[in-house]
Protein backbone atom coordinates (compact mmCIF):
# COMPACT_ATOMS: atom_id res chain seq x y z
CA UNK A 1 0.00 0.00 0.00
CA UNK A 2 1.43 3.37 -1.06
CA UNK A 3 1.41 5.95 1.73
CA UNK A 4 2.51 9.55 1.07
CA UNK A 5 6.30 9.62 1.25
CA UNK A 6 6.19 12.69 3.54
CA UNK A 7 4.49 10.62 6.24
CA UNK A 8 7.09 7.88 6.42
CA UNK A 9 9.58 9.84 8.54
CA UNK A 10 7.02 11.88 10.47
CA UNK A 11 6.28 11.05 14.09
CA UNK A 12 2.77 11.59 15.44
CA UNK A 13 2.40 14.40 18.00
CA UNK A 14 3.73 13.31 21.40
CA UNK A 15 1.47 14.65 24.17
CA UNK A 16 2.60 14.79 27.81
CA UNK A 17 2.52 11.49 29.74
CA UNK A 18 -0.94 10.67 31.17
CA UNK A 19 -1.33 10.91 34.96
CA UNK A 20 -2.70 7.33 35.22
CA UNK A 21 0.36 5.89 33.45
CA UNK A 22 2.80 7.68 35.77
CA UNK A 23 0.90 6.59 38.92
CA UNK A 24 1.10 2.98 37.80
CA UNK A 25 4.73 3.10 36.63
CA UNK A 26 6.14 4.62 39.83
CA UNK A 27 3.51 3.36 42.29
CA UNK A 28 2.42 6.87 43.25
CA UNK A 29 -0.88 7.95 44.78
CA UNK A 30 -0.52 11.63 43.78
CA UNK A 31 0.70 12.89 40.42
CA UNK A 32 0.68 16.52 39.23
CA UNK A 33 0.72 17.15 35.48
CA UNK A 34 2.43 20.39 34.50
CA UNK A 35 3.31 19.39 30.94
CA UNK A 36 0.55 20.49 28.60
CA UNK A 37 -0.12 24.13 29.55
CA UNK A 38 -3.58 23.32 30.89
CA UNK A 39 -5.41 25.69 33.22
CA UNK A 40 -4.87 24.48 36.83
CA UNK A 41 -8.10 26.23 37.86
CA UNK A 42 -10.25 24.29 35.42
CA UNK A 43 -13.00 26.15 33.60
CA UNK A 44 -15.79 28.58 34.47
CA UNK A 45 -18.75 27.17 36.49
CA UNK A 46 -20.93 28.71 33.75
CA UNK A 47 -19.24 26.50 31.16
CA UNK A 48 -19.76 23.41 33.36
CA UNK A 49 -23.46 24.17 33.67
CA UNK A 50 -23.77 24.67 29.90
CA UNK A 51 -22.20 21.23 29.37
CA UNK A 52 -24.72 19.60 31.72
CA UNK A 53 -27.61 21.38 29.97
CA UNK A 54 -26.40 20.16 26.57
CA UNK A 55 -26.26 16.47 27.55
CA UNK A 56 -29.89 15.94 26.50
CA UNK A 57 -28.92 16.76 22.91
CA UNK A 58 -26.13 14.21 22.33
CA UNK A 59 -28.05 12.33 19.64
CA UNK A 60 -28.26 15.45 17.47
CA UNK A 61 -25.46 16.66 15.19
CA UNK A 62 -23.92 19.99 16.11
CA UNK A 63 -24.47 23.10 14.04
CA UNK A 64 -21.70 22.80 11.44
CA UNK A 65 -21.54 26.58 11.08
CA UNK A 66 -21.34 27.16 14.88
CA UNK A 67 -23.91 29.94 14.40
CA UNK A 68 -24.66 30.77 18.07
CA UNK A 69 -20.99 30.65 19.07
CA UNK A 70 -20.08 32.63 15.95
CA UNK A 71 -22.51 35.44 16.83
CA UNK A 72 -21.39 35.52 20.46
CA UNK A 73 -17.66 35.49 19.63
CA UNK A 74 -17.93 38.06 16.83
CA UNK A 75 -19.65 40.41 19.26
CA UNK A 76 -17.05 39.66 21.96
CA UNK A 77 -14.14 40.40 19.59
CA UNK A 78 -15.74 43.24 17.64
CA UNK A 79 -15.44 41.51 14.25
CA UNK A 80 -17.92 40.35 11.58
CA UNK A 81 -19.28 36.82 11.87
CA UNK A 82 -17.87 36.05 8.40
CA UNK A 83 -14.35 36.76 9.68
CA UNK A 84 -14.35 33.65 11.89
CA UNK A 85 -13.50 30.01 11.23
CA UNK A 86 -13.81 27.36 13.95
CA UNK A 87 -11.67 24.30 14.51
CA UNK A 88 -11.25 21.23 16.66
CA UNK A 89 -8.71 23.22 18.66
CA UNK A 90 -6.59 25.86 16.91
CA UNK A 91 -4.45 22.88 15.77
CA UNK A 92 -7.14 22.14 13.21
CA UNK A 93 -7.06 25.72 11.93
CA UNK A 94 -3.32 25.21 11.35
CA UNK A 95 -4.17 22.04 9.42
CA UNK A 96 -6.87 23.82 7.37
CA UNK A 97 -4.46 26.64 6.45
CA UNK A 98 -1.80 24.16 5.36
CA UNK A 99 -4.31 22.12 3.40
CA UNK A 100 -5.63 25.22 1.64
CA UNK A 101 -2.39 27.09 0.90
CA UNK A 102 0.54 24.67 0.80
CA UNK A 103 1.69 22.16 -1.81
CA UNK A 104 4.93 20.88 -3.35
CA UNK A 105 5.36 24.07 -5.37
CA UNK A 106 5.31 26.33 -2.29
CA UNK A 107 7.36 27.08 0.82
CA UNK A 108 6.50 28.24 4.31
CA UNK A 109 8.57 30.23 6.82
CA UNK A 110 8.58 29.79 10.61
CA UNK A 111 10.77 30.22 13.68
CA UNK A 112 12.59 27.29 15.29
CA UNK A 113 11.81 26.09 17.87
CA UNK A 114 8.14 26.99 17.81
CA UNK A 115 4.78 25.18 17.92
CA UNK A 116 5.54 21.93 16.03
CA UNK A 117 2.23 21.57 14.18
CA UNK A 118 3.13 24.30 11.64
CA UNK A 119 6.00 22.18 10.36
CA UNK A 120 4.19 18.87 10.82
CA UNK A 121 1.26 19.86 8.60
CA UNK A 122 3.48 21.59 6.05
CA UNK A 123 5.52 18.39 5.67
CA UNK A 124 2.32 16.41 4.99
CA UNK A 125 1.42 18.85 2.20
CA UNK A 126 4.89 18.45 0.68
CA UNK A 127 5.83 22.13 1.02
CA UNK A 128 9.41 23.29 1.50
CA UNK A 129 9.98 24.34 5.11
CA UNK A 130 12.22 27.28 5.95
CA UNK A 131 13.03 27.42 9.65
CA UNK A 132 14.72 30.46 11.15
CA UNK A 133 16.46 29.93 14.52
CA UNK A 134 15.24 31.98 17.49
CA UNK A 135 17.67 34.57 18.83
CA UNK A 136 17.79 34.44 22.64
CA UNK A 137 14.35 32.83 22.61
CA UNK A 138 12.80 35.47 20.31
CA UNK A 139 11.65 35.35 16.67
CA UNK A 140 14.33 36.73 14.33
CA UNK A 141 11.89 38.70 12.19
CA UNK A 142 14.53 40.22 9.89
CA UNK A 143 15.97 36.79 9.10
CA UNK A 144 12.43 35.45 8.52
CA UNK A 145 11.77 38.24 6.00
CA UNK A 146 14.90 37.24 4.08
CA UNK A 147 13.55 33.69 3.71
CA UNK A 148 10.35 34.87 2.01
CA UNK A 149 10.20 34.70 -1.79
CA UNK A 150 7.59 34.49 -4.57
CA UNK A 151 6.85 30.83 -3.69
CA UNK A 152 6.21 31.53 0.00
CA UNK A 153 2.50 31.24 0.82
CA UNK A 154 2.44 31.18 4.65
CA UNK A 155 4.63 32.67 7.38
CA UNK A 156 3.95 31.62 10.99
CA UNK A 157 4.42 33.87 14.00
CA UNK A 158 3.72 32.40 17.44
CA UNK A 159 3.38 35.10 20.09
CA UNK A 160 3.67 34.30 22.95
CA UNK A 161 5.91 31.65 21.44
CA UNK A 162 5.60 28.05 22.53
CA UNK A 163 7.95 26.82 24.08
CA UNK A 164 9.79 30.00 25.15
CA UNK A 165 6.87 32.20 26.27
CA UNK A 166 8.47 35.25 24.60
CA UNK A 167 6.32 37.73 22.67
CA UNK A 168 6.68 40.24 19.85
CA UNK A 169 5.82 43.81 20.77
CA UNK A 170 3.44 46.02 18.81
CA UNK A 171 6.06 48.07 16.99
CA UNK A 172 8.16 45.10 15.84
CA UNK A 173 5.20 43.00 14.72
CA UNK A 174 3.60 45.84 12.77
CA UNK A 175 6.93 46.62 11.08
CA UNK A 176 7.23 42.95 10.09
CA UNK A 177 3.66 42.75 8.75
CA UNK A 178 4.27 45.87 6.64
CA UNK A 179 7.35 44.27 5.06
CA UNK A 180 5.81 40.87 4.25
CA UNK A 181 4.69 40.72 0.58
CA UNK A 182 0.91 40.83 0.07
CA UNK A 183 0.76 37.35 -1.51
CA UNK A 184 1.95 35.75 1.77
CA UNK A 185 -0.50 34.85 4.55
CA UNK A 186 0.83 35.97 7.94
CA UNK A 187 -0.54 33.68 10.65
CA UNK A 188 -0.21 35.18 14.14
CA UNK A 189 -0.84 32.39 16.64
CA UNK A 190 -2.12 33.89 19.91
CA UNK A 191 -3.12 30.70 21.75
CA UNK A 192 -1.96 32.26 25.06
CA UNK A 193 -3.45 35.71 24.38
CA UNK A 194 -5.62 35.76 27.52
CA UNK A 195 -2.57 35.27 29.77
CA UNK A 196 -0.56 38.19 28.37
CA UNK A 197 0.16 41.09 30.74
CA UNK A 198 2.79 43.03 28.71
CA UNK A 199 1.72 46.62 28.03
CA UNK A 200 3.15 46.67 24.50
CA UNK A 201 1.55 43.42 23.33
CA UNK A 202 -0.36 44.28 20.14
CA UNK A 203 -4.13 44.22 19.73
CA UNK A 204 -3.84 42.54 16.34
CA UNK A 205 -7.59 42.39 15.65
CA UNK A 206 -7.48 46.18 15.10
CA UNK A 207 -5.15 45.56 12.12
CA UNK A 208 -7.33 43.09 10.22
CA UNK A 209 -9.07 45.71 8.04
CA UNK A 210 -5.74 47.11 6.88
CA UNK A 211 -4.03 43.77 6.21
CA UNK A 212 -6.10 41.23 4.21
CA UNK A 213 -3.14 38.81 4.42
CA UNK A 214 -3.26 38.64 8.25
CA UNK A 215 -4.87 35.79 10.18
CA UNK A 216 -5.03 35.43 13.97
CA UNK A 217 -5.40 32.11 15.80
CA UNK A 218 -6.86 31.77 19.30
CA UNK A 219 -8.31 28.98 21.44
CA UNK A 220 -10.61 28.06 24.31
CA UNK A 221 -8.12 25.39 25.45
CA UNK A 222 -5.80 27.52 27.59
CA UNK A 223 -7.11 30.33 29.82
CA UNK A 224 -10.75 29.30 29.29
CA UNK A 225 -9.85 25.81 30.54
CA UNK A 226 -11.76 23.86 27.87
CA UNK A 227 -8.86 21.84 26.45
CA UNK A 228 -10.82 18.55 26.56
CA UNK A 229 -13.57 19.99 24.34
CA UNK A 230 -11.29 21.25 21.52
CA UNK A 231 -12.49 24.62 20.31
CA UNK A 232 -10.12 26.95 18.52
CA UNK A 233 -10.72 29.66 15.96
CA UNK A 234 -9.15 31.82 13.29
CA UNK A 235 -9.96 35.49 12.66
CA UNK A 236 -9.19 36.90 9.24
CA UNK A 237 -10.31 38.65 6.10
CA UNK A 238 -13.85 37.64 5.04
CA UNK A 239 -12.70 36.66 1.54
CA UNK A 240 -9.85 34.52 2.87
CA UNK A 241 -12.15 32.72 5.36
CA UNK A 242 -14.66 32.03 2.57
CA UNK A 243 -11.93 30.51 0.39
CA UNK A 244 -10.43 28.21 3.03
CA UNK A 245 -13.74 27.16 4.63
CA UNK A 246 -14.22 24.15 2.26
CA UNK A 247 -11.05 22.59 3.75
CA UNK A 248 -12.80 22.42 7.14
CA UNK A 249 -14.40 19.12 8.16
CA UNK A 250 -18.20 19.23 8.62
CA UNK A 251 -19.39 19.18 12.26
CA UNK A 252 -15.78 19.72 13.45
CA UNK A 253 -16.78 21.26 16.79
CA UNK A 254 -19.23 19.40 19.01
CA UNK A 255 -22.54 20.64 20.46
CA UNK A 256 -21.12 20.37 23.97
CA UNK A 257 -17.99 22.31 23.01
CA UNK A 258 -19.96 25.11 21.35
CA UNK A 259 -22.29 25.44 24.36
CA UNK A 260 -19.38 25.53 26.81
CA UNK A 261 -17.47 28.11 24.77
CA UNK A 262 -20.53 30.40 24.58
CA UNK A 263 -20.93 30.22 28.38
CA UNK A 264 -17.18 30.71 28.94
CA UNK A 265 -17.34 34.01 27.05
CA UNK A 266 -19.88 35.22 29.64
CA UNK A 267 -17.38 34.77 32.47
CA UNK A 268 -14.65 37.31 31.87
CA UNK A 269 -14.06 37.48 35.62
CA UNK A 270 -12.89 33.85 35.65
CA UNK A 271 -10.35 34.51 32.89
CA UNK A 272 -9.12 37.68 34.61
CA UNK A 273 -8.59 35.77 37.87
CA UNK A 274 -6.68 33.03 36.03
CA UNK A 275 -4.46 35.67 34.40
CA UNK A 276 -3.71 37.24 37.79
CA UNK A 277 -2.95 33.89 39.46
CA UNK A 278 -0.74 32.92 36.52
CA UNK A 279 1.25 36.14 36.91
CA UNK A 280 1.83 35.31 40.60
CA UNK A 281 2.75 31.72 39.70
CA UNK A 282 5.33 32.88 37.17
CA UNK A 283 6.89 35.08 39.86
CA UNK A 284 7.33 31.98 42.06
CA UNK A 285 9.37 30.39 39.28
CA UNK A 286 11.32 33.60 38.52
CA UNK A 287 12.30 33.88 42.21
CA UNK A 288 13.40 30.23 42.26
CA UNK A 289 15.53 30.73 39.11
CA UNK A 290 17.12 33.92 40.47
CA UNK A 291 17.89 32.22 43.78
CA UNK A 292 19.66 29.30 42.11
CA UNK A 293 21.19 31.24 39.23
CA UNK A 294 19.25 29.38 36.53
CA UNK A 295 18.62 30.92 33.11
CA UNK A 296 14.98 31.28 32.04
CA UNK A 297 12.79 33.20 29.63
CA UNK A 298 10.33 35.83 30.84
CA UNK A 299 7.00 34.32 29.81
CA UNK A 300 3.72 35.82 28.68
CA UNK A 301 2.11 32.36 28.60
CA UNK A 302 1.10 29.96 31.38
CA UNK A 303 4.40 28.09 31.27
CA UNK A 304 8.11 28.75 31.77
CA UNK A 305 11.20 27.39 30.00
CA UNK A 306 14.12 26.93 32.42
CA UNK A 307 17.71 25.93 31.60
CA UNK A 308 19.05 23.31 34.06
CA UNK A 309 22.41 23.02 32.23
CA UNK A 310 22.15 19.25 31.93
CA UNK A 311 20.32 16.72 29.79
CA UNK A 312 16.66 17.65 30.21
CA UNK A 313 15.57 14.00 30.13
CA UNK A 314 17.57 13.44 33.32
CA UNK A 315 15.70 16.22 35.19
CA UNK A 316 12.42 15.12 33.60
CA UNK A 317 12.87 11.55 34.91
CA UNK A 318 13.87 12.73 38.39
CA UNK A 319 10.66 14.79 38.62
CA UNK A 320 8.58 11.95 37.21
CA UNK A 321 9.68 9.65 40.04
CA UNK A 322 8.44 12.31 42.49
CA UNK A 323 5.08 12.54 40.72
CA UNK A 324 5.57 15.64 38.55
CA UNK A 325 5.00 15.45 34.80
CA UNK A 326 6.68 18.29 32.90
CA UNK A 327 7.91 18.65 29.30
CA UNK A 328 11.47 17.68 28.53
CA UNK A 329 13.23 20.23 26.35
CA UNK A 330 14.67 17.42 24.25
CA UNK A 331 11.34 17.16 22.45
CA UNK A 332 11.17 20.96 22.02
CA UNK A 333 14.58 21.84 20.61
CA UNK A 334 16.01 22.88 24.00
CA UNK A 335 17.99 19.82 25.18
CA UNK A 336 19.02 21.27 28.56
CA UNK A 337 15.70 22.94 29.44
CA UNK A 338 12.37 21.96 30.95
CA UNK A 339 9.07 23.58 30.02
CA UNK A 340 6.91 23.67 33.13
CA UNK A 341 3.25 24.68 33.13
CA UNK A 342 2.42 27.20 35.85
CA UNK A 343 0.19 25.36 38.33
CA UNK A 344 -1.70 26.69 41.32
CA UNK A 345 0.27 28.24 44.20
CA UNK A 346 0.67 24.97 46.08
CA UNK A 347 1.64 22.94 43.00
CA UNK A 348 4.28 25.55 42.14
CA UNK A 349 5.69 25.51 45.69
CA UNK A 350 5.90 21.71 45.69
CA UNK A 351 7.58 21.31 42.31
CA UNK A 352 10.03 24.11 43.15
CA UNK A 353 11.01 22.24 46.35
CA UNK A 354 11.48 19.05 44.32
CA UNK A 355 13.64 20.95 41.82
CA UNK A 356 15.71 22.54 44.59
CA UNK A 357 16.52 19.07 45.96
CA UNK A 358 17.63 17.97 42.51
CA UNK A 359 19.63 21.08 41.55
CA UNK A 360 21.41 21.44 44.89
Amino acid sequence: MHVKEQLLNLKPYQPGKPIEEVKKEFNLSKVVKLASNENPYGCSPKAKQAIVDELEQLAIYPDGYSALLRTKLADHLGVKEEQLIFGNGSDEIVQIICRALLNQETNTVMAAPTFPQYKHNAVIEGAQIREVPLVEGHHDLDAMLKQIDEKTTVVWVCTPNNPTGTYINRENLLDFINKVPKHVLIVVDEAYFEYVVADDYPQTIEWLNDYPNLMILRTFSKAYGLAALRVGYGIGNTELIRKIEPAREPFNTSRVAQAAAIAALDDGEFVAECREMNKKGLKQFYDFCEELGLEYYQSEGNFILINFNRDSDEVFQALLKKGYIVRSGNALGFPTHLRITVGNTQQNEEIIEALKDFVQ
Side-chain angles (χ1 to χ4, degrees), residues 64 66 85-100 115 117-118 121 125 156 189 215 217-219 221 229-234 244-254:
S66 308
I85 184 168
F86 292 93
N88 186 21
S90 55
D91 303 29
E92 193 193 12
I93 310 294
V94 172
Q95 185 185 48
I96 289 167
I97 291 166
C98 290
R99 204 171 174 186
F115 184 54
Q117 291 303 292
Y118 314 144
N121 285 290
E125 300 306 329
W156 306 89
D189 188 344
M215 188 159 179
L217 306 188
R218 291 190 188 166
T219 183
S221 294
L229 295 181
R230 317 302 303 119
V231 194
Y233 57 96
I244 69 171
E245 184 76 32
R248 181 180 65 77
E249 294 293 325
F251 310 121
N252 63 332
T253 57
S254 73

Side-chain angles (χ1 to χ4, degrees), residues 104-354:
Q104 290 170 328
E105 306 299 313
T106 62
N107 70 64
T108 179
V109 177
M110 64 196 70
T114 191
F115 184 54
Q117 291 303 292
Y118 314 144
K119 181 177 180 178
H120 184 91
N121 285 290
V123 168
I124 292 171
E125 300 306 329
Q128 185 199 22
I129 287 129
R130 298 184 174 176
E131 294 182 284
V132 177
L134 298 173
V135 175
E136 294 176 358
H138 291 264
H139 281 60
D140 187 345
L141 296 176
D142 290 337
M144 287 173 74
L145 284 169
K146 286 176 184 152
Q147 288 296 322
I148 294 172
D149 60 24
E150 68 283 352
K151 290 190 173 180
T152 308
T153 52
V154 186
V155 58
W156 306 89
V157 177
C158 188
T159 173
N161 186 42
N162 181 5
T164 54
T166 54
Y167 75 104
I168 303 166
N169 69 27
R170 187 180 192 282
E171 189 184 346
N172 290 343
L173 186 56
L174 193 55
D175 181 58
F176 175 76
I177 290 170
N178 276 313
K179 288 174 180 170
V180 172
K182 298 288 176 272
H183 72 272
V184 179
L185 178 65
I186 306 154
V187 180
V188 180
D189 188 344
E190 300 182 342
Y192 298 92
F193 172 81
E194 288 80 10
Y195 282 116
V196 173
V197 295
D199 292 337
D200 56 353
Y201 186 87
Q203 297 301 317
T204 44
I205 288 176
E206 295 171 2
W207 301 345
L208 284 168
N209 290 337
D210 296 327
Y211 301 96
N213 62 329
L214 174 64
M215 188 159 179
I216 301 154
L217 306 188
R218 291 190 188 166
T219 183
F220 285 92
S221 294
K222 304 302 178 189
Y224 286 102
L226 297 175
L229 295 181
R230 317 302 303 119
V231 194
Y233 57 96
I235 321 156
N237 173 274
T238 305
E239 184 73 2
L240 169 72
I241 298 292
R242 188 181 60 76
K243 284 179 177 172
I244 69 171
E245 184 76 32
R248 181 180 65 77
E249 294 293 325
F251 310 121
N252 63 332
T253 57
S254 73
R255 290 189 74 92
V256 174
Q258 290 175 29
I262 289 166
L265 287 170
D266 277 332
D267 200 347
E269 202 176 303
F270 173 80
V271 174
E273 282 169 13
C274 290
R275 183 189 306 115
E276 194 53 40
M277 293 304 293
N278 185 68
K279 184 179 170 184
K280 289 176 181 169
L282 278 168
K283 184 164 188 322
Q284 288 177 273
F285 284 103
Y286 294 161
D287 291 347
F288 156 70
C289 290
E290 301 289 348
E291 188 188 326
L292 275 85
L294 298 171
E295 291 173 5
Y296 65 95
Y297 294 103
Q298 288 268 345
S299 175
E300 290 295 328
N302 66 334
F303 57 89
I304 184 167
L305 191 70
I306 302 173
N307 187 359
F308 288 93
N309 298 307
R310 65 184 83 192
D311 181 1
S312 56
D313 283 350
E314 191 187 322
V315 196
F316 170 82
Q317 283 298 333
L319 283 174
L320 209 53
K321 286 173 185 168
K322 292 188 171 190
Y324 295 97
I325 312 172
V326 296
R327 204 81 158 106
S328 167
N330 266 322
L332 306 170
F334 285 90
T336 62
H337 294 62
L338 289 183
R339 191 192 70 193
I340 304 171
T341 302
V342 177
N344 62 37
T345 307
Q346 188 183 343
Q347 290 170 338
N348 298 337
E349 278 171 12
E350 289 173 0
I351 194 172
I352 284 168
E353 283 312 308

